[in-house]
């Protein structure tokens, strides 16, 4: 499941980069690439420093009920962030 999500995300990023490289000037595409790379590195650090230790070590140390609680908590947080992002980025005609 995780691997297929990563593959879809990589394919999307590849297609996005090809399209933007064709449409943007060299300066604008370079700026996009730098910001995109900084964002990707930032997400990697957040996952490595917070998400992985929290889901693996914290929950295991407190037992199975705590592991389920953390899974629900992180899932609900991700759903809330995703829902608020989608509703704020939708065009006015779609709301």
């Amino acid at each position: 499941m995780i691997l297929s999500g990563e593959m879809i995300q990589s394919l999307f990023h590849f297609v996005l980069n090809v399209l933007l490289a064709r449409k943007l000037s060299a300066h604008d595409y370079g700026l996009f690439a730098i910001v995109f790379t900084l964002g990707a590195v930032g997400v990697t650090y957040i996952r490595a420093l917070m998400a992985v230790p929290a889901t693996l070590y914290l929950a295991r140390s407190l037992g199975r009920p705590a592991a389920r609680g953390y899974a629900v908590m992180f899932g609900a947080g991700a759903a809330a962030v995703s829902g608020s992002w989608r509703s704020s980025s939708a065009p006015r005609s779609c709301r």
Side-chain angles (χ1 to χ4, degrees):
M1 182 75 162
I2 293 172
L3 182 60
S4 64
E6 291 292 328
M7 288 174 31
I8 291 169
Q9 181 180 12
S10 294
L11 179 64
F12 172 74
H13 289 161
F14 176 75
V15 170
L16 177 67
N17 274 286
V18 169
L19 292 174
L20 289 176
R22 296 176 61 118
K23 297 287 181 189
L24 298 176
S25 68
H27 177 269
D28 291 339
Y29 179 74
L31 183 62
F32 163 78
I34 290 170
V35 170
F36 191 82
T37 302
L38 289 174
V41 170
V43 167
T44 301
Y45 278 112
I46 289 171
R47 283 182 186 167
L49 295 175
M50 294 178 65
V52 172
T55 56
L56 294 179
Y57 302 112
L58 230 61
R60 285 185 185 166
S61 69
L62 298 175
R64 181 170 235 143
R68 288 185 182 145
Y70 280 114
V72 169
M73 182 176 64
F74 286 127
V81 169
S82 175
S84 66
W85 176 79
R86 286 184 182 180
S87 65
S88 66
S89 64
R92 295 267 180 208
S93 61
C94 295
R95 290 184 189 174

